[in-house]
Amino acid sequence: MISFFPTPYEDETLHSVIARYHLRSGNQSSKSTLQELFSQKTVTATVDLPSHIGELIDNLPLGNQMDAEYLIKHHTLYPFYTAFLDSERKKKIFNSMAEGKGASIHNSAGIMASSIKANKYLKFCPLCFKEEADSLGEPYWHRAHQIPTIPICHKHRIPLQNSQVLLKPQNKHQFIAATKENCVIQSSDSYAEETIKILFMLAKNAYVILQNNFNNIGEFNIKNKYYARLQEKRFATVNSRIYRTESTREFKKFFGSELLQLTQSDFDSEKNSNWLLEFLTKQDRAMHPTRHLLLAMFLNISLYELFSGETKFNTFGAGPWPCLNKVSDHYQQLTIPDIIISHSSDAKKPIATYNCSKCGFVYKRTMGEKNYRVIDYGFRWREKLKELSKKGLSLREKARILGVDPKTVKKYLEKDKRRESPKENKERITKDKENYRTSWLVTIAENREKGKTQVRKLNQRAYSWLYKNDRDWLIQNSPASTPAKQQNIKVDWRERDKRVSEMVKEVVDEKLSSESKPEKITKSKIGKELGIQDLLQKHLSKMPKTKHYLTGVLESDYTFRKRRVKWAITELERKNKSLKKWEIYKQAGIRKEYKQELDEFVDELISDREN
């Protein structure tokens, strides 16, 4: 235990207090001082976030009133570097500083990962130096002067100067006090008056943080305050989607390049990625405290407002919220008074659940995302689906009216089949039987020279259904293994055209509603799947209804590529991925030579989803 220890001055670094002790102790060796203060000789002389403070407290003189918490909060940069961290990380850093775990402190504080570089030399204010030398008889190192992004004194409004003392000296165990020999005043840098004005405000705010030890309300709540003000200033949508170009351009215009360079926060506003956008658009991004201060200043948020526990901002905007059930009589009306907000451990974002009591429609939306996911279409929607099913409309027409994809209609129709009454089941089977019988007979008529096994391979779908549900009829209406020579039979082309067009339409609807990667709709593929390839190739002119329908649905290469793009966008949204053009082309499998012709089409699709 030592017999004396200097009383720390206002805003003095603990490093400076120890350096003054070393001078007064008369010790010739730094390691002797370390042994007296820390009971070991290997402690590193750290300026911003020192460690082993608990051991120092144990060795202070009897009657000492200081504890580790006092020294950490009032004589290190702990309040500044932890102001915007969550309470868990803040506590971890505090414990590491109190104990002997200095190796992890800067990493936990995010300093190691930051693009902001540390000062090379300890800094001082010439006027502060003179005042302290005159009034106290000795100068000292200030905490507020050692923040690497603050080049101006918070008290005197003049630029700070580099001393001759390295922040990381060759002897890492040496604590060096401020003296007139190592704090030589040189010609100072000159800045524009507007830059000086903003730097002075920045320096004062940093000093306020050092002195007040604000209660941590969590980075999530602080970020919410940013989003609220960004919305007010029209830099973000109500769903917290940032207008990248406008926000970065105005931020840079507000501060100017000189100030941003001095605070190591400059960026190219023309690029899509920079520290500001990274922080605002990604949930797991931390940010240097100085950059928090810059953003708060840009958004006109005071420190006390920023760190207050109150926030009027709702991550998902102010209620009430709209019902998105397109078949309801209150579509897009504000019928949802309350939402339930939960947190996704996978996406690391809040998720809101919206439930319309009028129609039972329930959907969820993730913070920052425009798209929503339907959880329950509700009883009104299901009633409408049942009503449309009785009208004999095509799958695509039902989907259009219901405001969903054909695959969704198909999915719910399958569910209804499992729940249908015996009477409804009988009616459906009767209709399916008629369609499959017609398909089977058409296949036989177009392949009279083929036997049963060969015809079966041409129309496996119809054969399988009939074998399972109508086996006696199938046996009676199948060709023999070696078919006899048949006489010409007069064909009712009008009836055949009606049946074939229905079959073709069913196959096309199924392809268009499929969730898998799209296949091009061609006459040969449809014919092959139905086992009527020859019929469509040779006798299509005799079936005007079928021909007219095919003319409207057969795809050119360009049309097919557009459908693949739409499918790719749906897939990316389903996976909660951002809609970047190169990712859309990759998902859709679009070759390089076709991208240019699709660029405008893709831009419009992306724009429609963002607006």
Side-chain angles (χ1 to χ4, degrees):
M1 184 176 293
I2 57 178
S3 60
F4 78 95
F5 191 72
T7 299
Y9 295 122
E10 181 185 353
D11 194 47
E12 184 178 15
T13 66
L14 180 57
H15 169 281
S16 176
V17 182
I18 294 172
R20 290 194 295 116
Y21 170 82
H22 176 69
L23 289 178
R24 295 181 186 182
S25 69
N27 290 330
Q28 297 299 311
S29 167
S30 297
K31 292 196 173 183
S32 297
T33 297
L34 294 180
Q35 184 64 42
E36 291 175 358
L37 296 179
F38 300 101
S39 301
Q40 58 175 299
K41 300 178 180 180
T42 57
V43 175
T44 301
T46 305
V47 175
D48 51 4
L49 300 172
S51 62
H52 298 85
I53 296 174
E55 295 169 7
L56 171 64
I57 294 297
D58 291 340
N59 288 317
L60 292 183
L62 288 173
N64 163 65
Q65 298 299 312
M66 295 184 294
D67 58 13
E69 182 176 1
Y70 172 79
L71 290 180
I72 289 173
K73 290 186 175 180
H74 295 276
H75 297 284
T76 75
L77 288 174
Y78 170 84
F80 181 75
Y81 281 114
T82 62
F84 300 92
L85 301 181
D86 60 71
S87 56
E88 186 176 340
R89 285 177 69 189
K90 195 170 183 177
K91 184 177 179 180
K92 180 181 178 181
I93 293 168
F94 181 92
N95 290 337
S96 296
M97 293 176 68
E99 301 166 5
K101 299 177 181 178
S104 64
I105 295 173
H106 289 78
N107 190 44
S108 298
I111 297 173
M112 300 294 289
S114 175
S115 60
I116 290 180
K117 298 177 181 178
N119 293 330
K120 186 175 181 180
Y121 298 95
L122 292 182
K123 290 183 175 288
F124 70 98
C125 166
L127 293 182
C128 286
F129 186 96
K130 184 178 185 307
E131 288 176 359
E132 289 149 11
D134 292 342
S135 62
L136 303 174
E138 59 182 344
Y140 60 89
W141 302 119
H142 284 252
R143 288 187 302 169
H145 296 165
Q146 311 313 319
I147 299 174
T149 50
I150 311 292
I152 199 168
C153 178
H154 65 279
K155 182 179 180 182
H156 296 106
R157 204 175 180 265
I158 63 171
L160 300 173
Q161 294 212 359
N162 286 329
S163 70
Q164 296 175 2
V165 179
L166 289 168
L167 184 73
K168 295 182 179 180
Q170 188 172 2
N171 180 357
K172 65 179 182 178
H173 307 297
Q174 188 176 17
F175 291 81
I176 304 174
T179 65
K180 63 180 181 180
E181 286 77 25
N182 58 34
C183 292
V184 180
I185 299 175
Q186 300 175 353
S187 58
S188 61
D189 296 325
S190 59
Y191 308 128
E193 179 56 32
E194 187 61 29
T195 299
I196 288 285
K197 180 181 176 182
I198 298 176
L199 283 175
F200 186 48
M201 291 173 59
L202 189 64
K204 288 198 296 183
N205 283 340
Y207 185 72
V208 169
I209 289 178
L210 285 171
Q211 296 299 314
N212 282 273
N213 284 291
F214 288 106
N215 290 326
N216 184 275
I217 66 168
E219 190 174 68
F220 175 74
N221 289 322
I222 289 176
K223 214 165 191 179
N224 278 349
K225 293 174 187 286
Y226 292 149
Y227 287 139
R229 197 58 59 86
L230 284 164
Q231 290 174 8
E232 289 177 15
K233 291 181 173 290
R234 310 286 184 179
F235 293 131
T237 68
V238 293
N239 294 320
S240 302
R241 184 180 291 275
I242 306 299
Y243 294 124
R244 293 168 172 259
T245 303
E246 293 85 348
S247 57
T248 53
R249 183 180 61 236
E250 291 303 314
F251 183 90
K252 191 158 185 176
K253 181 180 177 181
F254 181 86
F255 290 111
S257 291
E258 182 184 44
L259 183 135
L260 292 177
Q261 287 171 12
L262 288 169
T263 56
Q264 300 187 48
S265 299
D266 199 13
F267 56 81
D268 186 346
S269 58
E270 299 301 318
K271 291 186 177 181
N272 291 326
S273 179
N274 55 62
W275 64 262
L276 179 60
L277 290 177
E278 286 283 311
F279 173 72
L280 291 175
T281 60
K282 297 184 179 180
Q283 293 301 307
D284 58 346
R285 290 293 188 273
M287 189 164 68
H288 191 278
T290 297
R291 291 176 174 173
H292 272 284
L293 295 179
L294 289 171
L295 181 56
M297 196 181 299
F298 170 64
L299 297 174
N300 196 27
I301 303 175
S302 71
L303 286 182
Y304 296 99
E305 181 183 355
L306 191 63
F307 288 105
S308 68
E310 299 178 3
T311 175
K312 298 179 180 179
F313 173 64
N314 188 319
T315 309
F316 298 92
W321 294 269
C323 174
L324 301 180
N325 183 358
K326 293 186 178 180
V327 302
S328 71
D329 58 1
H330 52 272
Y331 173 55
Q332 290 189 334
Q333 292 181 22
L334 305 178
T335 60
I336 304 175
D338 300 298
I339 60 176
I340 298 173
I341 299 179
S342 57
H343 195 79
S344 169
S345 57
D346 295 330
K348 297 181 179 179
K349 293 181 179 181
I351 297 176
T353 301
Y354 306 76
N355 189 336
C356 178
S357 59
K358 286 190 173 184
C359 65
F361 191 84
V362 182
Y363 63 98
K364 287 188 176 184
R365 175 176 278 139
T366 302
M367 187 190 78
E369 300 290 338
K370 178 185 176 183
N371 298 320
Y372 61 90
R373 180 163 57 93
V374 177
I375 305 303
D376 188 349
Y377 285 95
F379 56 89
R380 295 290 184 211
W381 188 91
R382 287 190 290 272
E383 287 173 359
K384 189 67 174 179
L385 172 62
K386 195 171 183 179
E387 176 189 325
L388 295 175
S389 298
K390 293 179 181 179
K391 294 183 178 181
L393 301 175
S394 68
L395 196 63
R396 295 186 74 183
E397 183 62 16
K398 291 174 189 171
R400 186 190 65 78
I401 295 172
L402 293 168
V404 296
D405 289 337
K407 61 187 177 185
T408 303
V409 175
K410 186 176 181 182
K411 172 184 171 183
Y412 277 85
L413 287 175
E414 290 296 328
K415 286 183 179 180
D416 288 343
K417 284 180 184 179
R418 292 193 287 269
R419 293 194 298 262
E420 65 189 359
S421 66
K423 181 181 178 181
E424 291 171 331
N425 180 266
K426 185 177 180 181
E427 291 175 352
R428 178 177 56 80
I429 290 178
T430 300
K431 183 177 179 180
D432 288 346
K433 183 187 293 185
E434 186 178 354
N435 289 336
Y436 283 119
R437 280 183 176 184
T438 300
S439 176
W440 181 248
L441 291 175
V442 169
T443 304
I444 292 172
E446 292 301 315
N447 300 277
R448 292 175 184 172
E449 74 286 356
K450 293 181 172 62
K452 180 178 179 180
T453 302
Q454 293 170 307
V455 173
R456 173 184 172 181
K457 290 179 179 178
L458 292 172
N459 197 348
Q460 185 67 47
R461 184 177 180 182
Y463 181 86
S464 297
W465 192 94
L466 292 168
Y467 186 83
K468 181 179 179 181
N469 300 284
D470 197 13
R471 191 175 303 180
D472 291 340
W473 183 92
L474 177 65
I475 293 171
Q476 294 172 12
N477 292 274
S478 295
S481 298
T482 306
K485 189 174 181 180
Q486 299 181 20
Q487 297 179 348
N488 290 332
I489 301 174
K490 187 174 180 181
V491 177
D492 185 346
W493 285 105
R494 177 178 291 182
E495 181 63 23
R496 179 172 291 185
D497 186 19
K498 179 183 176 184
R499 295 297 182 193
V500 171
S501 65
E502 290 175 355
M503 291 160 53
V504 168
K505 192 173 184 182
E506 185 177 341
V507 170
V508 171
D509 284 345
E510 186 173 333
K511 286 184 177 296
L512 292 175
S513 63
S514 174
E515 294 183 17
S516 57
K517 193 170 184 178
E519 292 183 5
K520 186 177 180 183
I521 297 175
T522 64
K523 187 164 60 177
S524 60
K525 284 184 179 179
I526 295 170
K528 188 174 181 180
E529 186 165 336
L530 290 172
I532 57 172
Q533 196 167 3
D534 287 345
L535 179 64
L536 295 181
Q537 294 292 344
K538 298 176 181 178
H539 303 292
L540 188 59
S541 60
K542 298 177 182 178
M543 298 182 290
K545 189 173 183 179
T546 303
K547 183 178 180 180
H548 176 75
Y549 176 74
L550 283 173
T551 302
V553 298
L554 295 181
E555 294 178 307
S556 65
D557 290 341
Y558 176 66
T559 305
F560 178 49
R561 284 193 283 271
K562 288 173 70 174
R563 185 159 67 90
R564 279 157 57 193
V565 163
K566 290 181 178 179
W567 169 84
I569 289 175
T570 301
E571 281 294 292
L572 291 172
E573 288 177 337
R574 184 177 61 81
K575 297 174 183 176
N576 287 325
K577 291 188 175 181
S578 58
L579 297 182
K580 296 178 180 177
K581 194 181 293 185
W582 68 268
E583 284 200 28
I584 294 172
Y585 286 144
K586 181 180 179 181
Q587 182 74 32
I590 303 298
R591 286 161 54 182
K592 184 178 180 180
E593 58 265 33
Y594 300 124
K595 291 179 181 178
Q596 186 175 356
E597 67 177 7
L598 291 168
D599 277 345
E600 185 176 348
F601 175 70
V602 173
D603 287 338
E604 288 177 0
L605 291 178
I606 294 174
S607 177
D608 287 343
R609 281 162 168 77
E610 289 181 345
N611 294 329

